[in-house]
Amino acid sequence: MSTATDSDATTTTTRRPTGPTQIREFEHSLPMALLRAREGVMRHFRPILADHDVTEQQWRVLRALNDATAPISVGELAERTFLLGPSLSRMLASLDERGLIERAAGNDARRAEISISPAGMALVTRIAPLSEAAYEQIEHQLEPGEFDQLADLLARLATSAAP
């Protein structure tokens, strides 16, 4: 990885801690870079979701349920979508009211099992080609192979052991 100057925005930057605080500059921290990248990516998807009256978080839930091979618990759904329980519960109520999910009693009567409904699958099917077109736009911003490389690197970071 090369070190860039402030005037060279296209080069990957590595900013090592300097000065009395010995901390990376805020603008060059990995969390900020990831947040900026997320915002850049989501600019492609937000209009699509808004046109279908779906929030980013609801889309995450529908995608997770669409990929599930069987109904899943609320806890597992929260883990898969990185949503907090109370937010997810409210969201599930909204998706249920819209007929986009189905709830069934799980093995334990206190635990509901959630699955995507036929209406939810139909919505995912309508959005899918638009989503794939957004992915193509994003991939065209990168060199050949970089999208897959980026996805692999992010997956490796996500699964790395906690300190």
Side-chain angles (χ1 to χ4, degrees):
M1 191 174 339
S2 64
T3 303
T5 64
D6 289 332
S7 63
D8 186 2
T10 61
T11 304
T12 305
T13 59
T14 302
R15 303 290 176 150
R16 299 287 177 215
T18 59
T21 59
Q22 292 295 301
I23 190 168
R24 294 169 195 266
E25 294 174 21
F26 177 72
E27 288 299 317
H28 299 288
S29 68
L30 182 58
M32 286 307 302
L34 291 169
L35 283 169
R36 281 191 301 274
R38 179 187 187 280
E39 288 305 307
V41 166
M42 289 310 299
R43 277 194 289 274
H44 294 272
F45 294 97
R46 284 186 184 119
I48 297 166
L49 299 177
D51 287 347
H52 291 85
D53 195 29
V54 177
T55 67
E56 295 171 40
Q57 294 82 8
Q58 289 171 335
W59 180 240
R60 253 191 278 167
V61 168
L62 291 171
R63 288 287 313 275
L65 292 173
N66 190 64
D67 285 357
T69 57
I72 58 176
S73 71
V74 174
E76 185 177 347
L77 187 57
E79 286 179 25
R80 287 187 188 189
T81 59
F82 292 91
L83 293 168
L84 298 175
S87 296
L88 180 57
S89 293
R90 287 189 300 276
M91 187 180 316
L92 291 175
S94 172
L95 292 171
D96 194 17
E97 286 173 13
R98 293 175 60 187
L100 300 174
I101 63 165
E102 295 175 346
R103 294 177 188 247
N107 295 337
D108 178 343
R110 295 170 295 175
R111 296 194 182 269
E113 296 285 319
I114 311 296
S115 60
I116 193 166
S117 71
M121 284 187 244
L123 179 60
V124 170
T125 299
R126 285 193 307 276
I127 295 174
L130 303 169
S131 176
E132 287 305 311
Y135 274 106
E136 286 181 25
Q137 289 175 348
I138 295 164
E139 286 187 56
H140 279 64
Q141 295 175 356
L142 303 171
E143 296 294 323
E146 284 184 332
F147 183 89
D148 291 334
Q149 181 183 14
L150 177 60
D152 291 344
L153 289 169
L154 291 171
R156 194 166 65 189
L157 276 178
T159 59
S160 64

